[in-house]
């Protein structure tokens, strides 16, 4: 990684390096957020399914 930084610094492309690091960080964060959102939706779906099962079992009383 230091060699890569040195190459960018020598060529004067620090702005490109900063932009790449920002984009990589934002992409990683969005992947993490979408993964957590999908897990939350699965948990909510399980909850609703169990609630419906409970209502079928005890709803008529």
């Amino acid at each position: 990684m230091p060699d890569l930084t040195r190459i960018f610094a020598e060529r004067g492309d620090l702005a490109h390096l900063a932009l790449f690091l920002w984009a990589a960080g934002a992409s990683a964060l969005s992947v993490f957020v979408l993964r957590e959102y999908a897990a939350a939706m699965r948990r909510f779906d399980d909850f609703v399914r169990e609630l419906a099962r409970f209502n079928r079992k005890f709803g008529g009383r």
Side-chain angles (χ1 to χ4, degrees):
M1 188 70 172
D3 293 335
L4 184 63
T5 306
R6 184 181 50 78
I7 290 169
F8 275 97
E10 287 174 357
R11 294 184 59 196
D13 288 340
L14 288 178
H16 288 105
L17 177 62
L19 183 61
F20 170 74
L21 292 175
W22 174 82
S27 297
L29 182 62
S30 66
V31 166
F32 173 75
V33 167
L34 287 174
R35 188 176 297 158
E36 290 297 315
Y37 180 71
M41 289 295 103
R42 280 192 298 274
R43 288 190 302 268
F44 182 71
D45 188 48
D46 291 341
F47 169 73
V48 170
R49 189 174 295 125
E50 288 298 319
L51 187 59
R53 196 178 100 199
F54 178 83
N55 285 335
R56 278 193 308 272
K57 189 172 184 178
F58 297 109
R61 295 183 183 178

